[in-house]
Amino acid sequence: MSVNLSKGQQVSLSKSDGSALSSVRMGLGWRAAPRKGFLAKLTGPRDIDLDASALLFAGRQLSDVVFFQHLVSDDGSVRHTGDNLTGGAGAGDDETILVDLARVPAHVDQIVFTVNSFTGQTFAEVENAFCRLVDETTGTELARYTLSGGGTHTAQIMAKFHRKGGSWQLQALGEPAAGRTFQDLLPAINAHL
């Protein structure tokens, strides 16, 4: 059973039988909002290039980043499956990041997931955007965070995994930000570490 997360909510990354998850998938889906006005029917929706990134932290220190130009973490525990330049129908995952929790190095205690509009469109031009967490072993959706409300921001600090008492927790952040790349988001991310 999936949990619809609200901003700030935390969820344990344990299976219903109490065992820890070993491999999870963070999926991002979106589609371009229809254009408004007279020329909208002639031009159709614009392509919007949202990018999902996973930033691995050891304490407050950035240790590694997985994104469209660096698809696999240096240790191999986090893997991006590839860049989607246009979005989709807003129903399935358009970009995916796989995390092998058992292989994440012990010094990494937080993994922050971000979404940014590489082409600079605001989230007012995006609809049906979501971020979801799936048990990669069973394919079961565990949690979903829906990006609603549009807005004039070009990025979102979506969620983070963090170690707590030897197990992983998921926290929905849902923090609007400004930036076309993960580097632009670092100052805003620091407030959540």
Side-chain angles (χ1 to χ4, degrees):
M1 179 169 160
S2 181
V3 175
N4 286 317
L5 295 175
S6 56
K7 185 175 178 176
Q9 184 176 358
Q10 292 194 40
V11 174
S12 173
L13 296 184
S14 297
K15 295 183 180 185
S16 57
D17 65 5
S19 63
L21 291 171
S22 59
S23 182
V24 294
R25 173 174 19 115
M26 184 65 74
L28 166 67
W30 77 94
R31 74 174 178 195
R35 292 183 182 191
K36 296 181 180 1
F38 177 72
L39 296 177
K41 290 182 180 169
L42 299 175
T43 59
R46 287 194 309 189
D47 291 341
I48 295 181
D49 181 8
L50 294 186
D51 291 324
S53 303
L55 292 78
L56 289 70
F57 287 89
R60 298 181 65 81
Q61 198 72 325
L62 184 62
S63 175
D64 201 352
V65 180
V66 174
F67 69 114
F68 69 92
Q69 290 183 332
H70 185 243
L71 295 176
V72 180
S73 62
D74 294 339
D75 58 57
S77 65
V78 181
R79 187 168 44 96
H80 194 300
T81 60
D83 193 15
N84 180 317
L85 302 175
T86 61
D93 297 338
D94 297 312
E95 289 197 13
T96 304
I97 297 176
L98 302 165
V99 181
D100 185 342
L101 293 168
R103 290 183 56 199
V104 174
H107 71 280
V108 173
D109 59 356
Q110 299 180 84
I111 303 172
V112 178
F113 294 91
T114 64
V115 177
N116 54 275
S117 174
F118 188 75
T119 45
Q121 290 103 333
T122 69
F123 277 82
E125 299 175 68
V126 177
E127 67 179 26
N128 294 351
F130 64 87
C131 184
R132 70 188 191 120
L133 182 69
V134 176
D135 178 342
E136 188 62 12
T137 306
T138 65
T140 304
E141 181 176 293
L142 304 169
R144 177 180 287 257
Y145 181 77
T146 302
L147 175 63
S148 60
T152 59
H153 51 282
T154 57
Q156 184 96 2
I157 304 166
M158 292 298 284
K160 74 173 181 175
F161 291 163
H162 58 99
R163 292 187 201 255
K164 185 174 182 179
S167 64
W168 288 95
Q169 301 275 319
L170 170 69
Q171 181 178 2
L173 298 172
E175 190 67 35
R180 292 180 52 240
T181 66
F182 75 85
Q183 294 96 331
D184 298 336
L185 305 180
L186 289 172
I189 291 169
N190 282 332
H192 298 284
L193 299 177

